Amino acid sequence: MSVTILDESNFEQEILQADKTCLVDFFATWCGPCKMMAPVIDEIASENPDVKVAKLDVDEADEIAEQYGVMSIPTLIVFKNGEAVKTFVGVQSKEDILAALK
């Protein structure tokens, strides 16, 4: 599976109404640690077809980032049944992210 690109027009449909676990990477194009996480996010997306993996540029969708309390990036939020159930801030290991997706 590829990574879904989110914005304010598709966030609700793609994440809040999704019928499977979602991982959303809140990032910015200028963010160094976000760039470090990008290959890990891509790996998780390709290796876990049962999880929807998405990216949201906080500069493009600041209202959504604010709604979920994103103060630092990268922030990763796991959504299940439309609810945010786990939040990671900063660079994370692939293992920790995968454990939260179970």
Side-chain angles (χ1 to χ4, degrees):
M1 301 248 347
S2 61
V3 175
T4 303
I5 303 302
L6 299 173
D7 58 31
E8 291 178 352
S9 70
N10 68 353
F11 184 82
E12 183 173 343
Q13 178 184 356
E14 292 287 345
I15 302 303
L16 301 183
Q17 297 175 4
D19 58 0
K20 57 183 168 180
T21 300
C22 301
L23 174 66
V24 180
D25 175 17
F26 290 79
F27 79 104
T29 55
W30 48 263
C31 165
C34 299
K35 291 176 185 172
M36 288 172 51
M37 285 301 302
V40 174
I41 299 301
D42 291 342
E43 279 179 27
I44 291 170
S46 65
E47 296 169 3
N48 297 276
D50 54 327
V51 175
K52 178 178 278 193
V53 179
K55 295 175 80 80
L56 182 100
D57 187 329
V58 297
D59 290 334
E60 303 290 325
D62 57 334
E63 287 180 21
I64 295 172
E66 189 175 310
Q67 180 181 346
Y68 288 97
V70 175
M71 305 293 275
S72 300
I73 50 174
T75 292
L76 305 173
I77 302 180
V78 177
F79 289 85
K80 293 184 180 179
N81 300 316
E83 298 290 322
V85 296
K86 178 76 175 160
T87 302
F88 296 97
V89 178
V91 174
Q92 303 294 320
S93 74
K94 182 177 173 184
E95 293 75 24
D96 287 348
I97 298 166
L98 289 173
L101 295 172
K102 300 275 182 256

